[in-house]
Amino acid sequence: GTENVPYIAAMGQAADLLTSTAVESSGADETRQQWRLNAERMEGLRTRLLNNLQNGLGEENIRVNGPANPALRLPNTLSVGLRNVQSGELLKIISNKVA
């Protein structure tokens, strides 16, 4: 399909505004602080989920996809592989049980 270029450009601009210290407006510091707090909270939840998976299934059965350094991962995303589990087969089994 066609990419929504204006939307992509607007998201990039919003990210620049959020992370830029050059732009100062009413409430900008509070917005940045809330953004950082949200990112920290999501990172904590991501870490908690990973720890629960590793504790429940065994660390040797979980492979984290993406950068080895957790600081380089998105705070709201966890991608893992499970030993001896084929994702396509798992999806077939659970497709009528999950959204």
Side-chain angles (χ1 to χ4, degrees):
T2 304
E3 301 297 335
N4 187 342
V5 176
Y7 179 78
I8 294 168
M11 289 298 291
Q13 182 64 34
D16 282 345
L17 289 172
L18 184 60
T19 58
S20 172
T21 55
V23 176
E24 293 302 326
S25 64
S26 175
D29 286 336
E30 294 84 11
T31 300
R32 283 189 202 96
Q33 181 62 23
Q34 188 60 49
W35 178 73
R36 287 183 186 97
L37 290 172
N38 286 341
E40 289 172 10
R41 180 175 180 275
M42 288 185 286
E43 185 176 354
L45 291 170
R46 181 196 70 200
T47 300
R48 183 173 147 194
L49 175 58
L50 177 58
N51 288 337
N52 286 341
L53 288 169
Q54 290 173 330
N55 292 334
L57 301 174
E59 216 171 308
E60 68 280 0
N61 294 313
I62 304 293
R63 181 191 71 247
V64 177
N65 301 316
N69 181 349
L72 299 177
R73 298 180 198 146
L74 294 172
N76 64 333
T77 304
L78 177 64
S79 175
V80 298
L82 306 173
R83 177 180 277 177
N84 298 322
V85 174
Q86 297 297 319
S87 58
E89 292 301 314
L90 177 62
L91 288 172
K92 283 181 194 175
I93 293 167
I94 66 171
S95 64
N96 63 343
K97 296 176 176 72
V98 298

